[in-house]
Amino acid sequence: MDMLLGMLAVLTLTAGYTDLRHRKIPNWLSLAGLGGGLLGHMWTGGFAALGRSLMGAGLGFGVMLLLYVCKAVGAGDVKLFAAIGAIGGPWLTFSAITYSVLWAGVIGIGILLYRRRLLAGGKGIWLAVTGFLFIRQKLCLDERLTLRFPFMAAVIPGICTALWETGSKGVPVWMP
């Protein structure tokens, strides 16, 4: 398990560096993480562990693909979470996605507060959503109100929080 945690740390930190620096997560990194996770689990736990690794990769890819379709994340994030899932398994992947999205919200609010645009952004979002729901107008937000930052800024604390939550059990603390 220590080997897999080390692999997860190297993968996450390398992806964080490249995403924050170049706004891109290289395919070779995601493929290496996916292959390393599958082989590492096969080596340490046999076919049962390989199955959990495949479930984690599928979960990470599937959930992030839905976020990609909604234009919330980039394609590199989708492939990276398949690799994270292969290394961490389904429970860690589920927790990492959940916490990463929560951290992204916290970071987004922090950026809006820093730019002093929280009220303007909130008002624009509120008007767009209510117009869509009640007037049936096309849902589009003012481009000036959109907020973009590298998702890895939220993934790194999200994975750290998920690792803290799962602890030595390997499953969330709320699981029996």
Side-chain angles (χ1 to χ4, degrees):
M1 189 65 175
D2 290 338
M3 172 190 69
L4 293 170
L5 286 176
M7 192 183 306
L8 182 63
V10 168
L11 174 75
T12 305
L13 292 174
T14 305
Y17 173 78
T18 60
D19 195 26
L20 293 172
R21 176 110 172 140
H22 304 289
R23 301 292 297 234
K24 183 171 174 55
I25 299 171
N27 288 336
W28 64 264
L29 182 63
S30 297
L31 285 173
L34 179 67
L38 294 173
L39 289 174
H41 278 283
M42 178 73 171
W43 179 270
T44 59
F47 286 108
L50 177 64
R52 284 190 303 277
S53 180
L54 285 169
M55 285 192 318
L59 177 71
F61 183 81
V63 172
M64 293 303 285
L65 184 62
L66 290 174
L67 292 175
Y68 173 74
V69 169
C70 296
K71 299 184 189 299
V73 297
D77 299 312
V78 175
K79 295 175 272 188
L80 178 72
F81 264 91
I84 290 170
I87 295 170
W91 289 117
L92 180 69
T93 304
F94 179 75
S95 291
I97 291 171
T98 303
Y99 286 120
S100 296
V101 169
L102 291 173
W103 276 106
V106 169
I107 292 169
I109 290 171
I111 291 172
L112 289 174
L113 284 172
Y114 176 75
R115 292 180 181 172
R116 295 188 170 110
R117 300 283 300 164
L118 185 62
L119 293 177
K123 180 182 174 188
I125 292 170
W126 173 255
L127 291 174
V129 170
T130 55
F132 173 75
L133 292 175
F134 300 116
I135 306 173
R136 300 286 188 226
Q137 71 185 31
K138 182 179 174 187
L139 181 64
C140 68
L141 295 174
D142 185 356
E143 186 63 33
R144 294 171 293 152
L145 299 177
T146 60
L147 177 65
R148 295 206 171 271
F149 61 90
F151 188 54
M152 286 304 296
V155 171
I156 292 172
I159 287 179
C160 291
T161 308
L163 285 170
W164 171 79
E165 179 201 25
T166 57
S168 60
K169 287 175 40 175
V171 295
V173 294
W174 46 267
M175 293 288 295

